[in-house]
Amino acid sequence: MLTQFGATAESLSKASTMVFRIGTDAHLYDDPDDVSIAPLLDSKFDSEKCEALKRLLALIAQGFDVSSYFPQVVKNVASQSLEVKKLVYLYLLHYAEKRPNETLLSINCFQKDLGDPNPLVRAWALRTMAGIRLHVIAPLVLVAVGKCARDPSTYVRKCAAIALPKLHDLRLEEHTAAIEELVGMLLKDNSPGVVGAAAAAFASICPTNFSLIGRNYKRLCETLPDVEEWGQIVLIGILLRYVIAKHGLVRESLMLTSDPLVSHNSEGEDLEPHLTMRKPLHETSFDICTEIADIVSRSYLEGPDKHLSQLGHVNRDSLGLDGSRVTSAKSNDDVKILLQCTSPLFWSYNSAVVLAAAGVHWIMAPKEDVLKIVKPLLFLLRSSSSSKYVVLCDIQVFAKAMPSLFCPYYEDFFISSSDSYQIKALKLEILSSIATYTSISSILVEFQDYIRDPDRRFAADTVAAIGLCAQRLPDVAHTCLEGLLFLALSESSDRDAASLGEEEIVLIQVIKSIKAIIAKDPPSHERVIVLLLRSLDSMRAPAARAMIIWMMGEYSNIGVLISKMIPTILKYLARRFTLEAVETKLQIINACVKVLLHTKGENMPEVQIIVGYVLELSKSDLNYDIRDRARFLKNFLSHCMRSHDAEEVNDQTEYKDLTHVLAEYIFGGQRKVQSEPFSYRFYLPGSLSQIVLHAAPGYEPLPEPCSLSDESHSPSHVQGTKILDVGATDSEPNEIDDSDAMSGSLEEENTSNYSSQASISGSSGGGGSYSSASDTDGDEEAGALINLSDGAPASRNHIKDSEENSASGFTDFGELMSNRALESWLNENPGSSQNSYDVGHAQRSLARISIKDIAQLVKPKSYTLLDPANGKGLSVDYRFSSEVSSISPQFVCLQVSFRNYSTEPMSNILLSEEEADQGPDSLGKSVSSSESFSVSRGEAATLVSMEEISSLAPGQTTNRILHVRFEHHLLPLKLVLWCNGRKQPVKLRPDIGYFIKPLPMDIEAFSKKESQLPGMFEYIRRCTFTDHISQPNDEQHSQIKDIFLMICEKLALKMLNNANLFLVSVDMPVAANLNDLSGLCLRLSGEILSNSIPCLVTLTLKGTCSEPLEVSVKMNCEETVFGLNLLNRIVNFLAEPAP
């Protein structure tokens, strides 16, 4: 083209392409080997840096490895240009895992950007830090997310919510509780955008921690219509699961239609009088298939796999929901508000939101209100072609369980020429489910057109739909049967062998539908069977011939016409036997046996000859299945015929042998038709699993109804926890250092060696709050007491008789045991499985120990708040006190010690909050804590004003009691120490072990409370205890009792030194191997200061005295986040070696 001007089609195409690329960045993809990238990265002009970074990102998009530029890119992370900074962040996200060391160099820049005035920069910094999947910076990322979660910018808070799942994916157990608390805080946000992102984080991180939802349930419901569309889908699922777990299913809903335990109204109200079950005569009444509705509800709650056996039959056990596990939509406010807030979403532009809202009403709304979902679904079906298949999959389930919903709208499901085969199949199944006597005529007329469709697979599905309509509507079965019979005869006569392949599926489906209709009432359809037998010669499809032959054998004795035709048909089949297909031959053999067993009178000799001939032919067939069946049936019939002859001689039941009984059972005529295997699999509406019909990854059924206790998750009983500010919000130079120190506090919380002073209630002897046998006399307290019992710990009674104990302690181990326990110990088989730790340690005899003077052995350890070097001679130490604050349960008591190591006196020493920048004079004169502290509901005080130390002489020590409220049990509290008019910033680090107080109880009360906190309120972790190994280990076996006591004492002291708990019991196992400590059990109890929720701790040991012991720590606590953090703290200090 235009060659005379030197232009070709290729050159013109390139020229036009270049014209369209003008003004775009498409040229960046042209030269992968551009050598000018490195100089541009080092340029001092931001425009050149942007050009180089865009080229690098273009190369990354094309699959090239450009990690060699990493050091040069990292240098530009501190650029002031927003465009450069954003491009650098994108590059670092891609290569952070390959170059972790270089990435860590830029962490300080990211942290600095978290305080940038521009919210976009703060969000970019957080996104980049969360995207760097390195475990080493996880604490820093957690601090950054905590800071951004309270950012004034909505976009930054939303990015913080999005970053939480990325942080959780690192699988850092020690940060799980803090992450969950951040999720709970973001769920309280006033911005709908933040709430939507927080809901997605909740579903990914802690989908079963419904306590976070219970605190904000009404707020979330009211915010739901304003949340972004994809956040609405997640939030709807969360709210639905919470309501079911909290209140159970709705009594008036479709889910409890067929459950006998809740079919009555427990409140005394009458059920709807117009409710009719499975009467599809009129569209005005409720047409509910109770069997399908029952399976749907069971599948939603527990998954379909549990209720479908291997053969596909339904497990028909009751749901087992009593009246206390259901609720009413009329009286339950939570259900009402959920239904009200999801109703406006029926008309959302997003089809997934409409399906999610419809799913809530399908599961929770009363049956008369389910009609609200019909028109939105039909509108969605007409308006959205891309989501038509998904909508039809859910409508199919709704139509099967409650056909009356869509009966008036059957025309909406007529087939369109543009529909795909999958959509056509779904529409046919829906039409066959919603057909009624008033609409069946129009539907059948429509079906006649579908049968002539060129797609013969679709035509076969139409024939199957006609058969289903005939079975559902018995009054039109005759009409459908005549049409199917006409179709079968025309298909068999009008088609030649060349077109058999494509028409075979239609003919087979026609015969299958006729067979299903005849099975409902065989005697009334004798004429149909006769017509099929007469047309047998014209049918070429083996499967169709096999089904007709099966009907001949099955119904050979229902009428006169069939009995007369049988000899002729058998002769025809015998002549064509060698030409038939395998499946047809097998049915011929079976039909011959059935006919022979049913034939009586003059036709018997002829039938016997034909059957014998067929069996002889079968014995020589090429297929081994046919040969095996022929040999088996020939021997089988020989016994049957002898028994049959004996019966003719004397018609007595005793002459019938077992073979004849089996023959009558297997081939003895038609019996009640078994229902077809239940193959439907139902999943939650709108889920991917409902589309693919199997549990997709991440799919979870609905929670068990009423699985949450009212006390622990009700908003009126749950107090929200507030997370401390984990980073400075100003732009001071020490901002990064504060962030690092703050993140370090998260790690130090689990490893710091805080000491405690145990709570001593009672006498100083050893009873108090730590002994489980406090009713002993003064003489008995002189030595450690061992009480032996035989049963399990939960059912044993305390042995009050301690006469065998001497005042000086132990004399002999055997003397401490009762005769019964000693006999059970001696009769124990050392080689039996009951001696193993995993199986039998709970069945051993246990000696309960009361450790003498345990309270006096607890030595509190001080912790340095300010050392003399930094305090210019002033040293400040503090220790946590076991006393409960008299101000408020929210406060923790600390004993603070001030000592002057300098040579000059000090004055005006005071500890105050960080926000108070004034001097000590402005804080008021010396006042006592009780006088100066008054809390209103709106205040958020963190420190009760301490009494000022006016003067501290050299070498003098002064103590003060400090009442502190930590806003979070993991993060430190920033304080200011005033001395001589100067202020010194200090950090007071919390110890979660002192956020509880001892809860005295006996072993029975402990076991009872423990049994009430199973499942989600029980957590177990394991660690290794090695403190006993540091002691001399050369004791003889005669002193083995001292080693046992030493280990028990060390373990108990380590617990009481680090946590303010009550020692309930110490149970020592009595075993044949005296060196075996497996089964040693310590039980401790306490309750949270803020809400008095009990915390139960059980330590179980495994191992020997001379080796490290494996300690299993079990925590039972309703406050999930607090319990997990306390469990982590206990595991960490138990694993630490003794100093």
Side-chain angles (χ1 to χ4, degrees), residues 962-973:
L962 204 61
H963 296 265
V964 181
R965 181 176 69 86
F966 293 93
E967 296 189 25
H968 190 265
H969 50 260
L970 293 181
L971 301 177
L973 178 64

Side-chain angles (χ1 to χ4, degrees), residues 102 362 610 780 797:
E102 289 86 348
W362 171 253
I610 298 174
E780 296 170 341
N797 296 323

Side-chain angles (χ1 to χ4, degrees), residues 233-534:
I233 302 170
V234 179
L235 189 55
I236 287 173
I238 294 173
L239 296 175
L240 173 63
R241 293 174 184 275
Y242 168 77
V243 170
I244 293 178
K246 178 68 176 177
H247 304 289
L249 296 176
V250 175
R251 182 181 301 106
E252 303 89 355
S253 69
L254 184 73
M255 298 296 103
L256 297 179
T257 298
S258 60
D259 198 299
L261 296 178
V262 293
S263 58
H264 64 282
N265 193 332
S266 60
E267 298 179 359
E269 300 176 359
D270 294 333
L271 291 174
E272 296 84 348
H274 59 279
L275 180 63
T276 59
M277 300 298 178
R278 211 63 182 108
K279 293 182 179 180
L281 299 179
H282 306 285
E283 292 88 346
T284 57
S285 62
F286 287 111
D287 177 18
I288 299 176
C289 180
T290 56
E291 181 182 7
I292 301 292
D294 177 59
I295 299 302
V296 167
S297 60
R298 293 156 64 93
S299 299
Y300 287 172
L301 287 174
E302 299 179 3
D305 296 334
K306 187 173 181 180
H307 304 293
L308 295 178
S309 64
Q310 186 176 2
L311 296 178
H313 293 284
V314 180
N315 180 5
R316 301 179 185 275
D317 296 335
S318 173
L319 278 174
L321 299 178
D322 53 12
S324 62
R325 300 178 65 186
V326 297
T327 185
S328 174
K330 301 177 181 178
S331 60
N332 192 298
D333 294 335
D334 287 348
V335 177
K336 283 182 180 179
I337 191 173
L338 178 62
L339 295 177
Q340 291 173 0
C341 293
T342 52
S343 295
L345 302 181
F346 284 151
W347 306 106
S348 173
Y349 290 107
N350 192 314
S351 57
V353 176
V354 178
L355 286 177
V360 172
H361 285 255
W362 171 253
I363 296 173
M364 300 300 293
K367 287 180 282 290
E368 60 271 15
D369 294 339
V370 179
L371 294 172
K372 296 179 180 179
I373 72 174
V374 176
K375 290 186 178 180
L377 291 177
L378 294 178
F379 177 79
L380 197 63
L381 193 64
R382 303 187 196 105
S383 59
S384 177
S385 58
S386 59
S387 60
K388 184 179 295 185
Y389 179 76
V390 178
V391 177
L392 285 173
C393 286
D394 292 305
I395 292 179
Q396 177 193 22
V397 179
F398 302 158
K400 285 182 179 297
M402 197 172 182
S404 59
L405 285 177
F406 299 94
C407 286
Y409 310 99
Y410 64 92
E411 293 181 351
D412 289 276
F413 301 101
F414 285 169
I415 306 300
S416 173
S417 58
S418 61
D419 291 338
S420 63
Y421 169 75
Q422 290 78 11
I423 293 178
K424 291 178 181 179
L426 285 175
K427 286 186 174 181
L428 285 176
E429 192 166 358
I430 294 172
L431 284 173
S432 62
S433 299
I434 65 176
T436 60
Y437 289 123
T438 56
S439 62
I440 187 62
S441 57
S442 301
I443 293 176
L444 290 179
V445 171
E446 191 76 12
F447 283 170
Q448 290 178 10
D449 294 333
Y450 301 162
I451 293 176
R452 293 189 290 268
D453 193 275
D455 185 358
R456 305 314 293 165
R457 184 173 55 163
F458 170 57
D461 292 340
T462 305
V463 171
I466 295 175
L468 291 176
C469 293
Q471 297 176 56
R472 287 187 65 252
L473 308 174
D475 292 352
V476 298
H478 182 72
T479 303
C480 295
L481 189 60
E482 287 185 349
L484 292 174
L485 187 60
F486 174 78
L487 182 61
L489 297 178
S490 60
E491 289 285 339
S492 61
S493 60
D494 297 342
R495 306 294 177 179
D496 54 7
S499 61
L500 181 61
E502 60 181 13
E503 296 296 332
E504 184 178 0
I505 56 175
V506 178
L507 180 59
I508 292 173
Q509 187 59 57
V510 169
I511 302 301
K512 188 180 297 184
S513 299
I514 293 175
K515 174 185 171 184
I517 298 174
I518 291 176
K520 295 292 184 180
D521 187 15
S524 62
H525 298 102
E526 181 185 6
R527 185 180 64 85
V528 177
I529 300 174
V530 171
L531 291 176
L532 290 175
L533 291 175
R534 287 179 177 177

Side-chain angles (χ1 to χ4, degrees), residues 1041-1115:
K1041 55 183 180 297
D1042 298 330
I1043 300 178
F1044 272 59
L1045 291 176
M1046 180 267 293
I1047 294 176
C1048 294
E1049 181 178 295
K1050 281 186 173 293
L1051 195 59
L1053 282 177
K1054 196 152 192 179
M1055 288 293 299
L1056 299 177
N1057 281 338
N1058 292 274
N1060 196 15
L1061 294 168
F1062 173 80
L1063 182 60
V1064 178
S1065 68
V1066 180
D1067 293 337
M1068 183 176 68
V1070 179
N1073 184 3
L1074 298 183
N1075 193 40
D1076 187 10
L1077 271 175
S1078 297
L1080 178 64
C1081 182
L1082 281 76
R1083 297 179 179 85
L1084 303 99
S1085 60
E1087 63 179 8
I1088 304 175
L1089 291 175
S1090 59
N1091 49 26
S1092 299
I1093 293 179
C1095 294
L1096 307 181
V1097 182
T1098 304
L1099 307 182
T1100 306
L1101 273 65
K1102 179 180 180 181
T1104 60
C1105 297
S1106 59
E1107 299 176 352
L1109 297 172
E1110 179 183 340
V1111 183
S1112 175
V1113 186
K1114 181 177 71 173
M1115 172 70 66

Side-chain angles (χ1 to χ4, degrees), residues 759-829:
S759 174
I760 305 173
S761 60
S763 63
S764 61
S769 63
Y770 295 115
S771 64
S772 59
S774 60
D775 54 349
T776 58
D777 298 330
D779 296 338
E780 296 170 341
E781 292 180 358
L785 303 180
I786 294 184
N787 294 328
L788 187 71
S789 56
D790 300 325
S795 61
R796 295 193 303 266
N797 296 323
H798 292 286
I799 301 179
K800 298 181 179 180
D801 186 14
S802 58
E803 296 178 356
E804 65 273 18
N805 296 329
S806 62
S808 60
F810 300 115
T811 58
D812 192 344
F813 197 75
E815 295 177 0
L816 301 175
M817 304 175 62
S818 64
N819 293 333
R820 176 183 175 187
L822 183 61
E823 292 174 0
S824 64
W825 180 23
L826 295 177
N827 291 333
E828 191 176 12
N829 183 10

Side-chain angles (χ1 to χ4, degrees), residues 631-678:
R631 293 190 181 96
F632 164 72
L633 292 179
K634 185 173 183 180
N635 295 330
F636 194 76
L637 286 176
S638 62
H639 293 282
C640 292
M641 297 312 296
R642 287 198 300 267
S643 177
H644 189 271
D645 295 339
E647 183 181 354
E648 290 181 351
V649 175
N650 189 359
D651 192 11
Q652 301 293 333
T653 57
E654 58 266 23
Y655 288 103
K656 296 183 179 181
D657 60 359
L658 180 61
T659 306
H660 196 162
V661 174
L662 290 175
E664 288 185 348
Y665 182 79
I666 298 174
F667 302 105
Q670 66 273 11
R671 288 172 295 277
K672 186 177 180 180
V673 179
Q674 298 284 340
S675 60
E676 292 187 1
F678 195 91

